[in-house]
Amino acid sequence: MLGHLRDVQEVTHPEGTVYEWGTFTGRGRIWRVAVAEIGMGGPKAASETERAISFFYAQIALFVGVAGGLKDVKLGDVVASTKVYAYEAGKAAKKFEVRPVVWSSSYALEQRARSVARKDEWLARPDDTSPHLLPHAYIGALAAGEKVLGSMQSSLYTLLKTNYSDSLAVEMEGHGFLAAVHANHTVHGLVIRGISDLIDDKPTADAAGWQEIAARHAAAFAFQMLTTFTLSTSNSTLSPPVWNVPYLRNPHFTGRDELLEQLDQQLSPGAQEHRPVTRRAALTQPKAIKGLGGIGKTQIAVEYAYRCREQGCYTYTLWVNAVSEEAVITSFVALAELLPDDFSAKNETNQRKLVEAIKHWLERCQEPWLLIFDNADDPTSVQEYFPKLGNGSILLTTRADAVGSLATSIEVETMSFIEGTHLLLRRAQLFEHASDEQINEAGNIVVALDHFPLALDQAGAYIEETKCGLNRYLEVYQDHRQALLARRGKQVMNYPDSVATTWLLSFQKVEQTNPAVTELLRLCAFLAPDRIPEELITDGAAHWTPLLRQAATDLFIFNQLIEELLKFSLVKRLVEERMLSIHRLVQAVQLDMMEPAVQSQWAERVVRAVNDMFPGDAQDVANWQKCLRYLEQVQACDSLIRQYAMAFVEAGDLLNRTGLYLADHASYTMAEPLYQQAFSIYEQQLGPEHPSVATSLNNLAVLYDRQGKYEHAEPLYARFLAISTKAYGTEHLSVATGLNNLAQLYGSQGKYLEAEQLHMRALAIREQLLGSQHPTTISSVNNLAILYRDQGKYAQVEPLFVYILAIREQQLGSQHPHTANSLNNLGHLYFLQKKYEQAEPLFTRALAIREQHLGTQHPDTAQSLNNLAALYRAQGKYEAAELLYKRALAIREQHLGAQHPDTAQSLNNLAMLYAQLGNYEHAESLYRRTLSIWVQQLGVDHPHTQTAHKNYAHLLRTMGRDAEAALLEMDHVMPS
């Protein structure tokens, strides 16, 4: 440290601390620097820091030394602190409970450290010229405590890696030092550490002299910071600062660190230290903070201005109200009174000339300036007020989405969940002592308000002023949303308008431009907000009001509507996806502006339009992508149908077709309520005996059948068959469908004779009406073949499976999911016949198709994984088999449930593998779970259940438990 100082002399504190006192010359200023060497530990550091600050009236405090590296660093690197964890803070219960205490570094010094670290100039300061000692500088967290960490095997190292994993290094004084700095709010503080060891190598590193090298590197970094740092309170020969920001700093400001970092890097003078004194605006293009009204644009600009003020970045910080051209001119006139005496046009009465004079003065100004245009919602109208040259930066806030070449934009999104929760708690004055329950309740409010900053500020104000509590606020919001969104609160910071008022002004402006825009906003209020297909609006135009219909059918006019909404960021346009998005609270305010009858009309229009757009055949693989594109809109329609008690047939059709798509993708819990609602609508509108009611019953039955809920499925199948027979006679395709589905249910229950009879009847009807090679007929042949396979009639089955595979490849293609089913069926037959070499490529092909078309988590994919695992087990590839069995089990448990027969199949297969490997205890546990499910779902006499009983009994005998095995075989009584 002392090598960087001049005119060094010794100064002794009355309490005995000895300081070396000298000078250091930076860029344009001379620093007086006191250096003290203190002992180890946080308390000592805190005491000495407080002593030095009060003795020297310090403005900056730097703690410079060495540390042990924890992650990402090497010997000789430098770490400047963003924060320091006091890692020993916690509760000494039966087990130590970590309760982190964190001390943050000065923002101004942290930013300066980042700037220094981005450049290599500090590397010229150390006198170590060895080419292999080129250190890096890192800006990050440190951990500090009273223990010396000497081994990576220690419990302390485990504590740090578990609870403070972002810490780059560990030391002993930083927490005490920063605690003392924070007690002196006018002082900037930062910890700078050179890495002298990497924990386990400490003795070797110390012997090699790394402590001295690391200390030199840390000192070099520290003095490079002083070279480039400027205090806002410095005794400079420059002009006195001018500041006209009209808002106080928001004490509740939360988050937005990435946006502020972008502004700091691209605008602040410290980020461009080597630029010419005079530069053109194009070299540092103006920045535009853009986003929806109430998203926090002005708040970010205010916070940025205050942070720059702390750092002394700008001599002149000038705020312009850009809500209108008249407001801009008024602001410029007011600026004239604030500028220093060398501005000679203060008495100019012609406002236009005065504005030009201010621009020219800024262009010639040698000192840094920041010019902020707030609420520049028409960015092009303020461009003429920009200085063309000068030593400054220009920042805009705007609702306009398109800023063109005028500025580079930073879009402000809604807050993250954590940011929103912190903002709400701070605004409600609950942050410091919030309980876990309050934090959870605050999170619920953040979700309800869709992470919107102004709404969260209003909510916090209401909670603080009424003392209603977080949980009660949600209750009030659900019943009085419109009133709460319109209520601003008494203690307003910087932004006087409520959410509702803010957007009402925007709504009025767009309606004045084109009334069809208002109609479009109303439409969007009823749609799922995040992904609104544009073609739903344009191709569904027949369902809209005449005004919107005319606009939506003309692409040029439609784009004009979107353009008007983008001017106020009321929507976003996802160009590549051809989608729109709208914030949920914009929807809410729009809804609250409509009368109930108008709401009902729009809701019905939306349901009818989405029904037209959703594919007619939702089970056709070629339509799946479009089904997925509209899935969120159907879910929104489902809510509208229930909310507005819609009961027209088209609403039922939409829900029914979507249920088919979801069921094919194993989303059973999502499909079931759609099927049930469709059934309710059909039965109400068409009567209980209508074929559409029967179809709805069949779809529900198939859903229950796939989930193993046979007792629910069977009566629905029977009713479907009865209605179809009554409506069409015995030889109709709907009757064949009922026979086929009931037959498959019986097959799953092991009722093979009844199943075969029904399959034969269904096949005969389909062959007669459709022909022998129709895909539906082929499905009947396939189902009959599976039934024969399950009965061990392999000779009859193989030619059927080969024939079906050939037909499906010809008709559907080699990559269709139905082709995958045939590949799987033939492969399974070969597996049962121990023809493993023939089975494996079929299983592998089937798995690849299913993963591609159905996804990695579909139950059919699990079936392929299970079959391939069984093959590997038979071939002795036990590790590969176990991995696939576990994947299949996880999928089935998630999508089918823990009690589904297929889940039990996976448990049984794993049990067989573990028994074969001698892991008897694990195998027994899985057999017991298997039997519990199959006995309950399939019955004691089902072949699957009987096989499981035999397998478990064999395991018991292998384990020497013959008596238990005999009891299980005779009476099916499992061991206790």
Side-chain angles (χ1 to χ4, degrees):
M1 292 288 290
L2 298 181
H4 296 271
L5 300 180
R6 294 186 304 165
D7 305 322
V8 178
Q9 55 183 305
E10 186 176 288
V11 176
T12 303
H13 190 276
E15 297 295 331
T17 303
V18 177
Y19 303 95
E20 302 296 336
W21 175 251
T23 61
F24 174 77
T25 303
R27 293 177 183 166
R29 72 167 297 151
I30 297 175
W31 296 94
R32 301 290 289 175
V33 180
V35 179
E37 184 176 350
I38 66 171
M40 293 191 301
K44 180 71 171 175
S47 173
E48 291 291 353
T49 301
E50 178 62 36
R51 181 177 297 170
I53 289 172
S54 61
F55 187 57
F56 292 103
Y57 300 100
Q59 296 173 292
I60 296 175
L62 301 176
F63 200 101
V64 183
V66 297
L70 288 176
K71 59 177 282 188
D72 299 335
V73 295
K74 67 178 187 302
L75 293 175
D77 286 346
V78 171
V79 178
S81 65
T82 56
K83 57 189 173 184
V84 177
Y85 294 113
Y87 64 73
E88 291 178 303
K91 180 180 179 181
K94 290 183 179 180
K95 182 180 180 182
F96 181 73
E97 297 177 6
V98 174
R99 293 182 177 178
V101 173
V102 184
W103 295 102
S104 297
S105 302
S106 158
Y107 179 80
L109 285 179
E110 178 192 328
Q111 292 301 306
R112 177 53 44 208
R114 292 185 186 277
S115 177
V116 171
R118 286 194 291 265
K119 306 173 180 65
D120 294 330
E121 294 172 358
W122 73 276
L123 295 174
R125 291 188 174 275
D127 56 5
D128 183 355
T129 57
S130 301
H132 65 286
L133 295 180
L134 288 178
H136 294 284
Y138 297 87
I139 315 300
L142 297 171
E146 301 304 309
K147 297 182 176 67
V148 176
L149 177 58
S151 171
M152 292 185 181
Q153 307 304 314
S154 65
S155 60
L156 175 56
Y157 183 80
T158 302
L159 173 79
L160 294 174
K161 297 302 286 184
T162 301
N163 300 286
Y164 306 97
S165 59
D166 60 333
S167 297
L168 301 180
V170 60
E171 40 99 3
M172 301 178 67
E173 295 82 24
H175 59 313
F177 163 78
L178 284 179
V181 169
H182 278 263
N184 295 268
H185 65 277
T186 60
V187 179
H188 298 280
L190 186 76
V191 180
I192 302 172
R193 295 288 191 174
I195 304 303
S196 62
D197 65 82
L198 300 176
I199 313 303
D200 279 342
D201 71 340
K202 180 171 175 55
T204 303
D206 289 351
W210 278 105
Q211 282 206 358
E212 181 180 350
I213 295 170
R216 287 203 305 269
H217 291 175
F221 189 91
F223 279 99
Q224 185 63 25
M225 285 185 58
L226 290 181
T227 298
T228 57
F229 188 71
T230 303
L231 282 169
S232 59
T233 56
S234 64
N235 296 321
S236 173
T237 59
L238 301 176
S239 303
V242 172
W243 169 275
N244 79 325
V245 175
Y247 303 118
L248 295 175
R249 194 171 192 175
N250 186 350
H252 311 301
F253 187 87
T254 303
R256 306 304 198 187
D257 292 330
E258 291 185 7
L259 297 182
L260 289 165
E261 176 72 14
Q262 288 184 54
L263 292 174
D264 184 71
Q265 290 182 5
Q266 299 173 29
L267 287 182
S268 298
Q272 305 136 13
E273 287 154 356
H274 302 298
R275 73 198 189 297
V277 172
T278 301
R279 56 184 171 80
R280 295 187 176 276
L283 297 178
T284 306
Q285 194 173 23
K287 299 295 294 185
I289 305 173
K290 69 179 185 180
L292 183 59
I295 200 74
K297 304 179 297 296
T298 296
Q299 294 296 314
I300 293 169
V302 169
E303 180 65 16
Y304 173 70
Y306 273 95
R307 292 189 182 188
C308 288
R309 187 185 192 186
E310 283 182 344
Q311 299 174 57
C313 293
Y314 301 105
T315 304
Y316 304 101
T317 302
L318 310 176
W319 191 278
V320 175
N321 180 2
V323 71
S324 65
E325 188 169 11
E326 292 77 10
V328 172
I329 293 174
T330 300
S331 294
F332 267 79
V333 171
L335 290 181
E337 297 298 322
L338 301 174
L339 297 182
D341 293 340
D342 65 347
F343 177 65
S344 58
K346 287 190 176 185
N347 297 324
E348 176 61 63
T349 58
N350 184 308
Q351 292 183 338
R352 290 290 180 181
K353 291 183 178 180
L354 182 61
V355 168
E356 289 301 313
I358 292 173
K359 287 168 55 181
H360 292 154
W361 183 87
L362 288 172
E363 290 170 353
R364 297 191 307 271
C365 182
Q366 297 283 313
E367 297 154 42
W369 49 262
L370 172 64
L371 186 58
I372 301 173
F373 291 85
D374 186 37
N375 288 323
D377 293 338
D378 183 6
T380 56
S381 69
V382 300
Q383 185 173 13
E384 64 177 292
Y385 298 95
F386 289 0
K388 300 297 189 294
L389 309 168
N391 188 28
S393 301
I394 298 173
L395 179 64
L396 294 78
T397 71
T398 180
R399 301 183 197 189
D401 182 72
V403 294
S405 60
L406 180 67
T408 57
S409 62
I410 296 177
E411 185 164 7
V412 185
E413 303 287 355
T414 54
M415 304 190 91
S416 70
F417 180 79
I418 293 176
E419 285 180 340
T421 303
H422 287 181
L423 171 61
L424 177 62
L425 290 171
R426 285 193 173 105
R427 185 62 187 88
Q429 303 298 329
L430 298 172
F431 183 78
E432 295 296 331
H433 305 290
S435 65
D436 289 344
E437 182 179 3
Q438 287 176 313
I439 292 172
N440 290 335
E441 290 171 350
N444 292 335
I445 295 174
V446 170
V447 172
L449 298 178
D450 203 19
H451 307 75
F452 197 73
L454 180 55
L456 293 171
D457 186 83
Q458 288 177 222
Y462 182 85
I463 292 166
E464 180 193 9
E465 292 166 13
T466 65
K467 299 295 187 282
C468 69
L470 295 158
N471 193 40
R472 294 292 298 277
Y473 175 86
L474 265 183
E475 296 178 18
V476 176
Y477 180 77
Q478 289 168 359
D479 295 330
H480 302 280
R481 180 181 68 192
Q482 184 174 9
L484 286 178
L485 291 179
R487 183 188 187 278
R488 186 62 186 98
K490 298 175 183 177
Q491 301 176 22
V492 176
M493 286 293 302
N494 304 351
Y495 200 94
D497 292 333
S498 67
V499 169
T501 302
T502 296
W503 292 339
L504 182 60
L505 296 173
S506 298
F507 298 158
Q508 290 171 347
K509 289 181 180 178
V510 297
E511 185 169 26
Q512 291 169 4
T513 305
N514 188 339
V517 181
T518 300
E519 300 288 89
L520 179 56
L521 265 180
R522 288 177 177 171
L523 164 61
C524 290
F526 291 88
L527 295 168
D530 298 325
R531 298 171 58 82
I532 301 173
E534 289 188 14
E535 74 276 6
L536 172 60
I537 302 169
T538 56
D539 296 352
H543 297 282
W544 313 140
T545 61
L547 191 63
L548 181 57
R549 184 186 312 136
Q550 182 179 3
T553 52
D554 186 315
L555 183 57
F556 179 77
I557 300 176
F558 176 69
N559 283 332
Q560 286 182 321
L561 302 188
I562 303 300
E563 181 184 11
E564 290 304 317
L565 294 175
L566 290 174
K567 285 181 180 178
F568 296 92
S569 292
L570 291 170
V571 298
K572 293 181 182 178
R573 196 170 199 176
L574 312 176
V575 178
E576 292 184 1
E577 300 172 76
R578 294 188 64 241
M579 297 267 196
L580 301 176
S581 69
I582 185 171
H583 194 275
R584 286 165 176 78
L585 290 188
V586 175
Q587 292 181 306
V589 174
Q590 275 289 319
L591 285 169
D592 292 338
M593 293 168 59
M594 297 183 214
E595 295 295 329
V598 176
Q599 290 183 10
S600 182
Q601 289 171 354
W602 276 107
E604 181 173 340
R605 291 178 184 127
V606 165
V607 172
R608 291 186 181 278
V610 174
N611 177 60
D612 282 356
M613 298 303 296
F614 196 83
D617 185 357
Q619 293 184 290
D620 186 343
V621 176
N623 291 331
W624 281 359
Q625 194 63 39
K626 188 173 183 181
C627 290
L628 180 61
R629 182 174 175 84
Y630 277 87
L631 184 57
E632 291 180 22
Q633 301 307 326
V634 177
Q635 291 169 325
C637 288
D638 179 38
S639 297
L640 295 175
I641 290 167
R642 297 172 192 275
Q643 180 180 351
Y644 295 98
M646 298 182 196
F648 50 91
V649 172
E650 291 83 356
D653 292 342
L654 174 62
L655 298 177
N656 184 68
R657 297 200 310 279
T658 307
L660 289 170
Y661 169 77
L662 291 170
D664 280 350
H665 289 75
S667 297
Y668 302 134
T669 56
M670 294 173 65
E672 184 174 358
L674 300 186
Y675 278 151
Q676 290 173 336
Q677 183 68 14
F679 168 73
S680 176
I681 292 171
Y682 288 150
E683 191 171 46
Q684 178 182 344
Q685 294 297 309
L686 304 174
E689 301 297 315
H690 193 277
S692 292
V693 173
T695 300
S696 188
L697 288 168
N698 181 70
N699 292 340
L700 258 176
V702 170
L703 187 74
Y704 292 141
D705 193 348
R706 290 180 182 177
Q707 297 176 84
K709 299 177 181 178
Y710 303 134
E711 71 282 4
H712 291 77
E714 186 169 358
L716 298 180
Y717 278 145
R719 187 176 168 191
F720 166 70
L721 185 58
I723 295 174
S724 297
T725 302
K726 181 178 180 181
Y728 303 119
T730 59
E731 301 301 311
H732 192 272
L733 289 176
S734 290
V735 174
T737 298
L739 294 168
N740 176 80
N741 292 348
L742 200 53
Q744 287 188 282
L745 176 70
Y746 289 154
S748 299
Q749 295 175 311
K751 301 174 181 178
Y752 298 135
L753 180 60
E754 296 96 322
E756 183 175 3
Q757 292 173 347
L758 295 180
H759 273 314
M760 295 298 291
R761 285 178 58 193
L763 177 59
I765 295 171
R766 287 172 169 175
E767 282 185 327
Q768 180 181 353
L769 297 177
L770 300 174
S772 61
Q773 294 198 356
H774 191 278
T776 304
T777 307
I778 293 299
S779 292
S780 272
V781 176
N782 183 69
N783 294 338
L784 191 59
I786 291 173
L787 184 69
Y788 290 154
R789 182 200 64 195
D790 291 345
Q791 297 175 78
K793 301 177 181 179
Y794 301 147
Q796 294 176 252
V797 173
E798 183 173 353
L800 291 178
F801 277 155
V802 171
Y803 167 74
I804 294 166
L805 175 60
I807 292 291
R808 284 181 168 170
E809 285 184 322
Q810 178 185 351
Q811 293 180 345
L812 305 176
S814 61
Q815 298 300 306
H816 196 280
H818 289 174
T819 304
N821 294 344
S822 289
L823 290 167
N824 181 76
N825 291 339
L826 185 57
H828 191 209
L829 176 67
Y830 288 148
F831 169 76
L832 293 173
Q833 295 174 306
K834 294 184 172 53
K835 300 176 181 179
Y836 301 141
E837 291 184 0
Q838 292 172 264
E840 184 170 3
L842 299 176
F843 281 155
T844 303
R845 278 185 62 195
L847 175 61
I849 295 169
R850 286 171 166 175
E851 285 184 327
Q852 179 182 351
H853 290 281
L854 303 177
T856 59
Q857 300 299 305
H858 195 280
D860 285 0
T861 303
Q863 182 192 53
S864 284
L865 291 169
N866 180 78
N867 292 346
L868 199 54
L871 177 69
Y872 289 156
R873 182 173 73 86
Q875 294 175 322
K877 302 174 183 178
Y878 301 129
E879 289 185 8
E882 182 181 11
L883 180 64
L884 296 184
Y885 274 146
K886 286 182 174 180
R887 281 182 59 192
L889 174 61
I891 295 169
R892 285 170 166 173
E893 284 182 326
Q894 179 180 352
H895 289 279
L896 302 177
Q899 299 302 307
H900 193 280
D902 288 355
T903 304
Q905 182 194 50
S906 285
L907 294 169
N908 180 72
N909 293 342
L910 262 176
M912 293 171 63
L913 175 65
Y914 289 141
Q916 188 172 352
L917 295 174
N919 188 349
Y920 299 144
E921 183 177 348
H922 201 173
E924 181 178 7
S925 173
L926 295 176
Y927 274 140
R928 292 176 70 88
R929 285 179 61 191
T930 300
L931 279 168
S932 175
I933 296 169
W934 276 346
V935 167
Q936 180 180 355
Q937 299 292 333
L938 305 178
V940 174
D941 297 327
H942 193 280
H944 289 354
T945 310
Q946 292 178 355
T947 299
H949 273 124
K950 291 178 183 178
N951 292 341
Y952 187 17
H954 178 73
L955 175 68
L956 291 172
R957 293 189 187 281
T958 304
M959 299 169 70
R961 295 159 59 181
D962 292 349
E964 293 173 288
L967 190 62
L968 178 65
E969 290 171 333
M970 292 175 56
D971 301 321
H972 301 308
V973 177
M974 283 196 290
S976 58

